[in-house]
Amino acid sequence: MEAKKDKDILRGGQFLVKETNCEDVFTPEDFSEEQTMMKESVKEFNDREIIPHKNRFEAKDFALTEEVMKKAGDMGFLSVAVPEEYGGMGMGFVSTVLTCDYISSGTGSFSTAFGAHTGIGTMPITLYGTEEQKQKYVPKLASGEWFGAYCLTEPGAGSDANSGKTTATLSNDGKSYKINGQKMWISNAGFCHLMIVFARIEDDKNITGFIVEYDKENPNGITLGEEEHKLGIRASSTRQVFFSDTVVSAENMLAGRGEGFKIAMNALNVGRIKLAAACLDSQRRILTTAVTYANERKQFNTRISDFGAIKVKLAEMAASAYAGESATYRASKNIEDRIALRQAAGNSHQEAELKGVEEYAIECSILKVAVSEDVQNAADEGIQIFGGMGFSEETPMEAAWRDARIARIYEGTNEINRMLAVGMLVKKAMKGHVDLLGPAQKVQDELMGIPSFDTPDYSELFSEEKEMIKKLKKTFLMVAGGAVQKFGPDLEAHQQLLIAAADILIEIYMAESAILRTEKNAKRFGENAQSAQIAMAKLYLYHAVDIVEEKGKESIISFAEGDEQRMMLMGLKRFTKYANYPDIVDLRKEIAEKVKEEEKYCF
């Protein structure tokens, strides 16, 4: 059974070259009873402890953030991903993502504190720490007795994280290190008790990670800068941290010497999918707030929610949130299943979790980009629906917009993540983990052959949409394959091409996820019960096709010329053409009417 399962679980990036059956994807409708209870518990906490205090968070009440974090610790929410032997709940990866999803929408300030603590503040120790380090620190972090921070970024080392100048110098007796340097944009710095600090030993190529305790009464050479004045996430404590001969026991080195860059990169993989999750309930709440207002607000004796221009916004906001949800939980379950398989094969929890997440690093980057951009768009349209009131601090939209803006920057900027997604896919192909060359060659052969002019039978639900997804995958293979052939290993230097290819890749994964979720649910609940979801999946795909066509054309005319260019442009036209175009106005109407009637995101 396990062997069959292993074969059935797609490896990271394989969604591009293998067909996925709808039965094989996990959806939010598949939550277990335990997960549903967890979701309700987290939502209730958010509604009680966070949302009523929005004004205090916006007034930079840092003490409130710390206080609510302690309460989250008391409820066990900080320990969902922590193994039971270190004081945690030891729940699966989907439950970790679910908690992050529903706790993050009250304010970006708390969401950032929560994500920084449970993710990059705690996880490096659970995944890379020695048994002694885990026993000593993880229970305190899991309970909220201590809070964690993550000190990687420096004034001269942002996206290029491995170029940091902070140093760690070994003492003569070999028992400790002295850390000297400066870190910036450190979330939770103002109330943390422990920092994961990255520093360079001598002239090492790669940085090294250390667990550094911080006690305000005995600062050990650590000083904090003033709280940063930020566009959003205002009550999230963000400070510079300065180290001056900070003494750290050699036993507090995390993993091995020079392993810090690897720790940083793998911690970011988990951080990326959790960041996507942290943007989901924000989208739901933005839509719910917008439609409630649009149903109440009248102009020209008509509710503004009855105007077509507003319906467009409501429908598009709903479709994006739905696709983001579908893709995030699909990937989360893939990761959870991969972790379980590795544990069944004898891997330790550490190794299984690390490799499980690393396997889907491409999907994590895709999700981080797509969902962070969708939540910003949702907040922007939310302001527009509120009109002048949306621009006022009296309504929640302007804070939602400001808080959303950071999501495109942290955990690696969206530009970096776009390039990473394609770069990692090409590397996987080179290693033979994903066969891109075979399918790319087939697409080349298809372009040279005579196209079929048969009209297929598209009477079954999503039969044409799934055919479109297959064609979009061919577009990616044609464009990326052509670019790799032309530039080979130098492709990394052609960032505009990488970013265009990434946009194609992102749209394929997001649109396919929405379609597979809806197909699965239509089969079990009936098509009538899923008619608005069917409309959202079709609407999302329609936009995806447009983006793929635009980015494909931009790429082809940039690297191909002459006959090759003409052939590829003809291929692009063939691969982005519907046999039967959907009625976009009708789709939007159906989605908007459902949202208006329920007066909330109701899917």
Side-chain angles (χ1 to χ4, degrees), residues 253-290:
M253 183 186 286
L254 198 52
R257 177 171 171 172
E259 299 278 295
F261 186 59
K262 187 171 78 177
I263 297 172
M265 291 305 98
N266 282 325
L268 288 173
N269 286 334
V270 185
R272 282 165 186 150
I273 189 167
K274 286 177 75 178
L275 176 61
C279 295
L280 292 176
D281 199 47
S282 296
Q283 286 186 76
R284 297 185 199 104
R285 281 186 188 270
I286 288 166
L287 176 59
T288 296
T289 308

Side-chain angles (χ1 to χ4, degrees), residues 137-419:
Y137 295 117
V138 176
K140 288 179 178 174
L141 293 166
S143 67
E145 180 188 341
W146 279 22
F147 293 118
Y150 182 82
C151 301
L152 176 63
T153 304
E154 298 184 15
S159 296
D160 182 9
N162 202 32
S163 65
K165 301 281 190 289
T166 297
T167 61
T169 309
L170 188 62
S171 61
N172 292 333
D173 61 9
K175 289 184 177 173
S176 63
Y177 286 87
K178 275 188 181 167
I179 295 182
N180 285 281
Q182 173 186 3
K183 300 289 181 178
M184 68 189 303
W185 309 126
I186 307 307
S187 296
N188 297 354
F191 58 82
C192 73
H193 307 78
L194 177 150
M195 301 173 180
I196 308 291
V197 180
F198 295 90
R200 193 176 310 280
I201 300 170
E202 295 173 348
D203 295 325
D204 287 0
K205 180 186 171 195
N206 290 326
I207 51 181
T208 298
F210 294 90
I211 303 168
V212 180
E213 295 181 30
Y214 174 57
D215 178 356
K216 286 175 189 167
E217 305 303 314
N218 176 24
N220 185 17
I222 300 174
T223 50
L224 304 180
E226 291 297 310
E227 289 287 354
E228 299 286 353
H229 299 283
K230 307 183 296 288
L231 172 70
I233 56 169
R234 287 180 172 173
S236 152
S237 175
T238 312
R239 297 187 176 196
Q240 292 196 55
V241 182
F242 301 90
F243 300 93
S244 176
D245 285 347
T246 299
V247 179
V248 184
S249 166
E251 291 172 0
N252 274 27
M253 183 186 286
L254 198 52
R257 177 171 171 172
E259 299 278 295
F261 186 59
K262 187 171 78 177
I263 297 172
M265 291 305 98
N266 282 325
L268 288 173
N269 286 334
V270 185
R272 282 165 186 150
I273 189 167
K274 286 177 75 178
L275 176 61
C279 295
L280 292 176
D281 199 47
S282 296
Q283 286 186 76
R284 297 185 199 104
R285 281 186 188 270
I286 288 166
L287 176 59
T288 296
T289 308
V291 73
T292 303
Y293 180 80
N295 276 346
E296 289 168 1
R297 174 80 167 158
K298 283 193 170 180
Q299 291 291 279
F300 312 106
N301 289 329
T302 306
R303 295 188 311 170
I304 66 168
S305 61
D306 293 333
F307 291 123
I310 300 296
K311 287 181 187 177
V312 169
K313 297 181 189 310
L314 297 175
E316 297 291 354
M317 288 157 82
S320 289
Y322 181 76
E325 240 178 23
S326 308
T328 302
Y329 284 103
R330 173 191 185 182
S332 302
K333 184 68 165 114
N334 283 150
I335 291 170
E336 184 173 291
D337 287 345
R338 180 63 63 184
I339 291 168
L341 278 169
R342 283 191 161 274
Q343 283 185 304
N347 283 169
S348 67
H349 167 265
Q350 281 169 291
E351 186 71 355
E353 185 127 341
L354 270 172
K355 292 294 182 191
V357 175
E358 198 180 340
E359 178 66 58
Y360 296 96
I362 294 164
E363 286 80 354
C364 291
S365 279
I366 285 172
L367 289 164
K368 191 272 176 183
V369 172
V371 187
S372 68
E373 292 180 3
D374 284 342
V375 74
Q376 183 87 65
N377 292 338
D380 200 66
E381 291 288 41
I383 288 177
Q384 202 67 11
I385 289 169
F386 270 73
M389 284 305 293
F391 206 67
S392 164
E393 285 188 2
E394 285 179 40
T395 58
M397 284 304 175
E398 66 87 37
W401 187 89
R402 285 187 289 100
D403 282 353
R405 186 60 187 85
I406 188 61
R408 284 155 55 198
I409 297 170
Y410 55 24
E411 309 290 356
T413 66
N414 283 10
E415 291 71 24
I416 291 278
N417 272 289
R418 279 180 160 90
M419 291 185 283

Side-chain angles (χ1 to χ4, degrees), residues 580-598:
N580 309 285
Y581 281 95
D583 183 336
I584 294 305
V585 171
D586 260 11
L587 293 179
R588 286 185 184 131
K589 261 191 206 161
E590 177 164 7
I591 301 160
E593 291 304 334
K594 175 77 172 167
V595 170
K596 276 168 54 186
E597 185 187 328
E598 300 277 344

Side-chain angles (χ1 to χ4, degrees), residues 56-86:
R56 287 177 63 190
F57 283 112
E58 288 310 304
K60 304 184 182 181
D61 190 337
F62 301 108
L64 177 63
T65 302
E66 185 179 358
E67 182 190 316
V68 178
M69 282 287 287
K70 280 195 181 338
K71 288 179 178 175
D74 293 341
M75 293 287 293
F77 298 146
L78 304 181
S79 71
V80 175
V82 173
E84 289 178 46
E85 57 265 40
Y86 309 114

Side-chain angles (χ1 to χ4, degrees), residues 85-100:
E85 57 265 40
Y86 309 114
M89 289 189 179
M91 294 174 85
F93 197 80
V94 172
S95 297
T96 302
V97 164
L98 182 154
T99 305
C100 195

